Amino acid sequence: MRKALVSLGLHAALVAGAVLTLLPLVWMVMASLMPAGEASSVPPPFFPSHVTFEHYRELFVHLNIGRVFFNSALLAVSVTVLSVLLNAMAGYAFAKLRFPGRSRIFGFLLGALVLPSQVAILPLFLLMRQLGLISSYWGVILPGMATIFGIFLVRQYALSIPDELLDAARIDGASEVRIFAEIIMPLCRPILVTLAIFTFLGTWNDFFWPLVVLTDDSKYTLPVALANLFGEHVQDTELMMAGSVLTVMPVLLLFLLLQRHYVQGLLMGGLKE
Amino acid sequence: MAGEVKMSSEVRAAWLFVGPGLAIIFLFFLLPIAAALLLSLTDFDLYAVADWHNLRLVGFDNYLHLLRDSLFWKAMRNTFYFVLVGGPLTVVVSLAAALMIQSRLTRFPGLFRTAFFAPAVTTLVAIATVWRYLYHPNFGLLNHALGWIGIAPIDWLGDTRWAMPAIILLSIWKNFGANMIILAAGLQSIPESLYEAARLEGAGWWRQLRHVTLPMLAPTFLFVAVMTCIGYFQLFAEPFVLTRQGEPLNSTLSVALLMYKEGFRFWHMGYAAAVAFVLFLVILAATTLQVRLARRGEA
Amino acid sequence: MSGRTRLMGLVLMVSMISLGACAPRSGQTDGVVTLRFWALGREGEVVKDLIPEFERRNPGIRVAVQQIPILNAHEKLLTACVGGVTPDLAQVGNTWIPELANLKAIAPLDKLVQRSGVVAQADYFAGIWDTNVVDGSVYGVPWYVDTRLLFYRTDLLAAAGFPEPPRTWRQWMEAMRRVKARAGPGRFAILLPVDEHEQPLILGRELGAGLLRDGDRYGDFRSPAFREAAGFYVGLFRSGLAPAWSNSQINSVYQQFAAGDFAFFITGPWNVGEFRRRLPPEMKDKWNTAPMPAPDNSRDWPGVSVAGGASLALFRGSRHPAEAWKLVEFLSEPAVQVQFHKLTGDLPPRASAWGSPSLAGDPQTAAFRAQLERVVPAPKVPEWEEISIQIWQSLEPAIRGRSTVDAALTDLDTRVDRILEKRRKVLARRRASGR
């Protein structure tokens, strides 16, 4: 009896928590479907009086959100592909290949993990200016192409690969590049998938650096465009919500599809120290 | 002989593999940070952009100005407010959520886990936009809901007393899910035998929590606390979107936001770099302190 | 296994190619020049309607308008300048001109203006043209003017015993007191958003405050003139005549003006159109505009206001300055300016455009015509944008009762001195090197 009561209380708390957590997201979708101005009425409605897609149409037809969407996708995919490759290469080398200075360099990188990236932003801007990459896609891609965290993640995973496997391949005459491409990459697949999801979400959601480095609106990413749109259309709640839905939904769907890998990565970052 | 040849090809391969990654990290991360340190010792600004002759080494002048600038201290206070209040609250909510989804009584834990975790993957800028409307004094759902229990409307983002709590509330909502996952995994790794032993001694739920769960969870807990703390010190996008860059009366101006404003609004690059470095030192000190305290707690 | 590597390589290649394809294109393809034109806020939206006519007249030129939200406009523009990715031309706030000129980002236009058959300096309001002149060179062509003055509720004022708008501060104060007494709690006499610097600036200029001193090298906000203006301004809040609201706390200026939440509002020409559009129809004859009252009878009426507005500037980095200048000339044509006025409500900076019936016959715009003859520029230092933000930030604590006016002005002077520190150094260096 007591157990049933506890269980009831527990589930009530869980349901309440889940409702509170999801409410802002659900309201975002609801408001994006309301006729213009409806969200700003008293009492605030939760459901649209009738469903309209006019704000989405407005975003695509007049505000060029399609282009912005393409930018976000292009940048997130490029950074993901390139950084997974570079991080995998470096992480594997730190784990399995012997070279002078290996442990010292790796220790140094670990120490640098505590450096907040915000410190780098000002000079990075000046560097990009020197390279002529302000307001170019490369200005966003290059700094994201390798991360200490990514190298660390791959290295920890690759450590568990038995040396005998590599030695056997070498005896068979396989080149180092081939060993990496045909043995290491497949073996590291789980962590690489995790890393890819992390990187994709991180790039998609990133705001500070793209805000600074992308000045041309034809290169804007969704968060930057959304913040910009907000400056002009604060009053247009429904339009802003439609923009938010377009920004959030892709990553939310990706997460729902690949949840298992994402969670796995979070744990590896958290527990395998 | 053969071994040497093999070694050198391995070394060559190793450099080939680490080279590109290290080059990127060096060029676009470490070098700029070193440059930031140098920059903070100069008066780099728009005059210097126009004409390099207007650039001067000023030693620690920027830092001295910083320490005398009441706006910097305000940003510092706000940031600490956010970290010291928001951080523990986030961790406590995360722990509560982790305990709930890990409870043996819970049905469909995966479902709840997904729901709690969903905000963590969303785009902060979009979410802050959503919350800005939720916080609206007249049309916001939050005030409407508070109205049901008889609480008068609060001007969340316009009132200096409420703006930071509003940002904290959003941050808890956004961040507790990720912490929860890590804590839940930590809970899972606690051997069941310890609980059985405790139960044999007649320990109830509360005593099990205090004497088994929390001590065993300590390392995970520390990790979560440190990561939350580091992340929270870098508060930026929330006030950037939610309170239009630190309003009202700079009550939500964070150190990172101050750096952005000084750096990219007025191009006081030298001064902004000094702000960034002080932020870094504070984060480093706070992290070290937490780890030290935790070690002493263990000993 | 190797299939996957190949797949990865393929993806890599595709992404590279697509990136290359999207790399910044040069402004010229097939003999057609594409001008990149940045315009701010609402003007950025509306100017797109004028472009087709320009493109029809100039088949070799295409114009790509980028709209920049007004809130981030200044930092966005500076970022582009420092990053070396400026557009060909842009709409810039005229108080930013000294800064952009100092940065060598925008080009002097003297020769182009001299040769131009469209941009005739004599036709522009002198106070407005002057804001574009830095060290004797003109860097921008005024596009529209924006000076602030009184918007007021005629019915509320008449009911308070003022059938005519106030002409001196004393009358104005009396009118506000009576309006407030009739309105009761929760309603106010005047709306002055606390996060705007224009209102205290105008009041200070009316009393002749210089704002900066010693060759614009130090702040001078503790001067008797500005001290008096700040006292008057802060007093409006302290005595309950004005609410201490920032822009983000105001729900709807128009609804609240219609509801009688306030009877006076110091704002600019864009609100003439907005008031007409957004006020309910029954409010149609219940509001008007008036030039700023003079501080006292010893000074000329109307009192001065500050010369605001936006100019069109060409960037030095542009590869198509001749084409960009054509667009400037097109947008400066009196007929186009009148059309622009109809679209935006923005006021033209040229006297000849004011002759058009839509402007000359408009009662609510007439006050602006009078005010425009009495405008002075803000101090022309590159740091002005920063100083202007500091003005309201320093005064706000005094308004909210957390500080006194004197403490606020001391704080303001200290901060402005610090902002101008580099300017002092640079000026001293220039003098030392004999330049």
Side-chain angles (χ1 to χ4, degrees):
Chain A
M1 184 60 206
R2 196 173 156 269
K3 199 171 169 185
L5 267 178
V6 170
S7 169
L8 194 70
L10 179 73
H11 284 92
L14 279 167
V15 169
V19 167
L20 284 178
T21 312
L22 295 178
L23 204 67
L25 296 173
V26 176
W27 180 78
M28 167 181 77
V29 176
M30 291 295 172
S32 77
L33 300 172
M34 290 177 190
E38 186 168 276
S40 305
S41 44
V42 182
F46 191 80
F47 297 101
S49 62
H50 71 268
V51 171
T52 170
F53 289 95
E54 58 176 307
H55 311 296
Y56 291 94
R57 201 173 310 124
E58 168 80 11
L59 283 170
F60 279 102
V61 174
H62 290 120
L63 297 165
N64 212 5
I65 203 92
R67 170 80 202 206
V68 175
F69 203 92
F70 168 80
N71 290 339
S72 267
L74 176 74
L75 286 173
V77 168
S78 310
V79 170
T80 304
V81 169
L82 290 169
S83 85
V84 164
L85 180 68
L86 260 55
N87 286 335
M89 281 161 47
Y92 156 66
F94 276 120
K96 286 289 151 192
L97 299 179
R98 276 150 303 192
F99 58 98
R102 179 176 81 168
S103 59
R104 223 173 318 130
I105 298 175
F106 190 69
F108 181 74
L109 285 183
L110 278 191
L113 255 181
V114 298
L115 296 170
S117 60
Q118 290 173 350
V119 178
I121 278 191
L122 300 158
L124 191 57
F125 183 85
L126 298 176
L127 177 67
M128 287 299 173
R129 169 187 180 229
Q130 243 29 63
L131 296 174
L133 294 177
I134 300 291
S135 208
S136 75
Y137 289 127
W138 284 111
V140 175
I141 295 170
L142 279 172
M145 269 172 50
T147 58
I148 298 178
F149 179 72
I151 292 176
F152 172 73
L153 216 55
V154 176
R155 174 188 177 263
Q156 298 308 88
Y157 194 89
L159 280 177
S160 61
I161 297 171
D163 282 327
E164 295 76 34
L165 209 62
L166 308 179
D167 289 335
R170 286 192 186 111
I171 289 165
D172 284 347
S175 72
E176 293 292 339
V177 174
R178 220 178 125 198
I179 293 175
F180 173 73
E182 294 184 7
I183 298 177
I184 302 300
M185 288 293 264
L187 280 176
C188 288
R189 199 177 153 244
I191 194 66
L192 295 184
V193 171
T194 304
L195 186 59
I197 302 170
F198 259 69
T199 314
F200 187 89
L201 292 183
T203 314
W204 184 277
N205 292 339
D206 195 15
F207 178 55
F208 202 156
W209 179 241
L211 171 76
V212 169
V213 81
L214 299 174
T215 57
D216 189 341
D217 64 355
S218 67
K219 303 253 164 49
Y220 280 174
T221 59
L222 281 163
V224 178
L226 199 63
N228 238 18
L229 200 63
F230 194 59
E232 289 298 313
H233 295 272
V234 180
Q235 313 281 355
D236 306 329
T237 313
E238 301 79 12
L239 180 77
M240 288 308 305
M241 289 306 98
S244 300
V245 169
L246 288 176
T247 309
V248 166
M249 276 307 152
V251 279
L252 212 52
L253 290 178
L254 189 76
F255 159 68
L256 289 177
L257 287 175
L258 301 169
Q259 196 183 155
R260 195 168 49 86
H261 300 280
Y262 189 91
V263 169
Q264 203 173 38
L266 214 57
L267 298 182
M268 272 186 247
L271 298 177
K272 267 195 168 183
E273 279 174 273
Chain B
M1 186 69 186
E4 226 164 74
V5 170
K6 188 192 143 238
M7 275 291 279
S8 80
S9 84
E10 187 177 332
V11 169
R12 233 182 309 126
W15 284 116
L16 181 78
F17 285 143
V18 296
L22 283 186
I24 293 284
I25 289 169
F26 176 77
L27 203 59
F28 297 111
F29 186 61
L30 299 177
L31 188 71
I33 285 183
L37 186 58
L38 277 179
L39 204 59
S40 75
L41 304 176
T42 71
D43 63 351
F44 194 99
D45 61 0
L46 281 181
Y47 285 104
V49 172
D51 181 353
W52 281 100
H53 296 291
N54 287 326
L55 184 66
R56 288 271 178 286
L57 268 176
V58 294
F60 290 98
D61 270 13
N62 286 325
Y63 292 93
L64 294 177
H65 271 301
L66 201 63
L67 298 179
R68 271 184 273 133
D69 185 352
S70 58
L71 199 59
F72 168 74
W73 288 110
K74 180 150 211 171
M76 208 53 142
R77 268 200 306 279
N78 292 339
T79 307
F80 268 93
Y81 178 5
F82 180 71
V83 173
L84 293 181
V85 178
L89 281 175
T90 308
V91 176
V92 166
V93 173
S94 313
L95 183 63
L99 286 170
M100 287 201 293
I101 62 164
Q102 283 306 116
S103 164
R104 277 171 307 153
L105 294 174
T106 300
R107 311 275 303 269
F108 313 113
L111 206 65
F112 289 112
R113 194 175 64 180
T114 305
F116 290 163
F117 190 60
V121 297
T122 55
T123 314
L124 189 59
V125 174
I127 289 310
T129 313
V130 174
W131 279 68
R132 214 187 129 98
Y133 293 111
L134 294 177
Y135 280 137
H136 194 285
N138 301 340
F139 314 125
L141 284 185
L142 188 61
N143 272 353
H144 188 62
L146 290 176
W148 292 337
I149 49 173
I151 295 176
I154 295 171
D155 186 3
W156 289 97
L157 302 175
D159 188 324
T160 48
R161 288 166 306 169
W162 289 106
M164 190 54 95
I167 286 184
I168 289 174
L169 193 60
L170 162 65
S171 302
I172 295 173
W173 177 83
K174 174 95 171 65
N175 296 315
F176 83 94
N179 288 335
M180 172 196 75
I181 301 276
I182 299 173
L183 289 170
L187 288 174
Q188 223 164 13
S189 65
I190 299 174
E192 188 55 34
S193 59
L194 289 179
Y195 288 107
E196 276 161 19
R199 273 196 292 273
L200 281 177
E201 287 174 29
W205 180 82
W206 177 245
R207 282 186 54 200
Q208 285 180 39
L209 179 71
R210 273 204 53 196
H211 297 289
V212 181
T213 311
L214 291 185
M216 291 301 291
L217 200 59
T220 318
F221 198 79
L222 176 69
F223 174 80
V224 165
V226 169
M227 292 315 286
T228 304
C229 175
I230 292 179
Y232 276 21
F233 266 116
Q234 300 182 41
L235 175 69
F236 173 73
E238 293 89 338
F240 188 95
V241 179
L242 209 52
T243 49
R244 301 217 324 190
Q245 312 197 358
E247 285 178 24
L249 266 180
N250 288 319
S251 59
T252 57
L253 181 78
S254 66
V255 177
L257 196 53
L258 178 69
M259 184 200 89
Y260 172 84
K261 283 182 155 185
E262 287 289 345
F264 292 105
R265 196 158 180 194
F266 305 120
W267 293 91
H268 303 156
M269 287 287 224
Y271 193 69
V275 175
F277 250 87
V278 172
L279 176 64
F280 163 58
L281 291 179
V282 166
I283 293 176
L284 197 65
T287 312
T288 317
L289 186 74
Q290 272 176 301
V291 174
R292 283 267 165 81
L293 283 179
R295 288 226 180 104
R296 215 168 51 195
E298 274 168 31
Chain C
M1 295 269 159
S2 66
R4 197 167 286 130
T5 344
R6 229 172 282 147
L7 184 71
M8 191 117 158
L10 194 72
V11 173
L12 208 69
M13 236 164 65
V14 169
S15 68
M16 296 282 183
I17 291 167
S18 61
L19 285 172
C22 300
R25 268 185 220 118
S26 84
Q28 195 153 4
T29 42
D30 314 328
V32 174
V33 169
T34 300
L35 287 178
R36 292 168 60 236
F37 176 29
W38 287 8
L40 318 180
R42 190 166 155 65
E43 283 79 24
E45 208 171 301
V46 169
V47 76
K48 289 175 188 160
D49 294 346
L50 300 176
I51 296 301
E53 169 63 14
F54 175 74
E55 290 181 338
R56 195 188 58 76
R57 283 201 231 163
N58 299 280
I61 308 177
R62 288 274 159 281
V63 182
V65 180
Q66 176 165 342
Q67 185 192 11
I68 301 185
I70 204 87
L71 187 69
N72 305 325
H74 180 257
E75 58 206 72
K76 203 85 216 171
L77 212 56
L78 281 189
T79 308
C81 292
V82 177
V85 286
T86 47
D88 294 292
L89 72 163
Q91 167 192 0
V92 297
N94 55 7
T95 51
W96 307 342
I97 297 241
E99 186 171 30
L100 295 171
N102 174 60
L103 203 55
K104 300 193 176 79
I106 53 178
L109 305 172
D110 304 86
K111 283 186 189 145
L112 291 167
V113 170
Q114 271 163 27
R115 268 185 273 139
S116 175
V118 180
V119 179
Q121 186 184 340
D123 193 32
Y124 286 80
F125 294 109
I128 297 295
W129 185 271
D130 183 41
T131 61
N132 294 278
V133 178
V134 180
D135 296 331
S137 285
V138 61
Y139 283 90
V141 175
W143 192 19
Y144 63 84
V145 290
D146 158 7
T147 190
R148 298 195 180 201
L149 41 64
L150 283 179
F151 283 54
Y152 66 99
R153 283 278 298 266
T154 46
D155 55 336
L156 295 181
L157 242 66
F162 281 86
E164 293 295 318
R167 287 170 75 100
T168 62
W169 284 18
R170 183 196 292 224
Q171 287 177 9
W172 186 20
M173 197 61 163
E174 184 55 31
M176 286 191 280
R177 285 217 184 90
R178 287 201 218 158
V179 166
K180 169 68 186 169
R182 292 173 55 88
R187 290 183 178 178
F188 302 88
I190 183 166
L191 177 66
L192 303 161
V194 295
D195 51 351
E196 289 181 3
H197 70 278
E198 285 87 351
Q199 291 80 357
L201 187 65
I202 292 169
L203 298 174
R205 283 297 209 202
E206 284 209 56
L207 287 164
L211 309 172
L212 304 179
R213 63 183 167 88
D214 294 347
D216 294 342
R217 285 155 69 242
Y218 293 92
D220 194 20
F221 292 95
R222 277 172 294 180
S223 67
F226 196 81
R227 170 69 186 77
E228 191 186 338
F232 180 82
Y233 176 68
V234 171
L236 294 176
F237 297 95
R238 295 282 189 87
S239 55
L241 295 175
W245 292 339
S246 66
N247 273 307
S248 55
Q249 281 168 285
I250 301 164
N251 298 320
S252 166
V253 169
Y254 314 105
Q255 276 171 26
Q256 291 180 284
F257 187 70
D261 287 358
F262 49 89
F264 286 106
F265 185 30
I266 297 182
T267 185
W270 67 90
N271 262 329
V272 172
E274 294 289 308
F275 272 46
R276 284 182 190 151
R277 219 177 353 262
R278 296 184 188 238
L279 290 180
E282 66 272 17
M283 290 298 302
K284 192 167 169 278
D285 300 313
K286 294 184 181 164
W287 66 278
N288 207 342
T289 56
M292 288 304 294
D296 51 57
N297 285 322
S298 70
R299 289 172 212 256
D300 287 340
W301 182 87
V304 297
S305 189
V306 172
S311 302
L312 297 166
L314 301 191
F315 285 85
R316 285 181 194 252
S318 168
R319 271 175 293 163
H320 311 289
E323 289 84 355
W325 179 250
K326 272 191 185 162
L327 182 55
V328 173
E329 287 191 319
F330 170 76
L331 293 172
S332 301
E333 287 174 16
V336 177
Q337 296 226 317
V338 170
Q339 198 188 346
F340 188 60
H341 162 72
K342 281 181 190 151
L343 289 168
T344 56
D346 288 340
L347 300 179
R350 333 181 41 148
S352 57
W354 280 81
S356 90
S358 67
L359 276 152
D362 183 334
Q364 276 136 348
T365 312
F368 283 97
R369 183 72 177 80
Q371 188 70 65
L372 278 171
E373 301 290 349
R374 296 267 293 153
V375 290
V376 290
K380 286 192 267 180
V381 291
E383 292 85 354
W384 183 251
E385 174 75 8
E386 198 179 349
I387 293 173
S388 67
I389 293 171
Q390 195 55 57
I391 292 176
W392 68 258
Q393 291 207 332
S394 285
L395 284 175
E396 195 181 356
I399 288 169
R400 295 191 190 272
R402 307 229 173 114
S403 162
T404 64
V405 172
D406 286 309
L409 294 181
T410 306
D411 175 65
L412 179 54
D413 266 343
T414 312
R415 290 180 183 278
V416 170
D417 285 354
R418 160 97 175 105
I419 292 170
L420 291 171
E421 187 183 325
K422 185 66 179 277
R423 174 177 163 81
R424 292 196 295 274
K425 275 195 214 167
V426 170
L427 288 179
R429 200 177 69 87
R430 256 184 229 165
R431 204 178 319 143
S433 66
R435 275 198 277 158

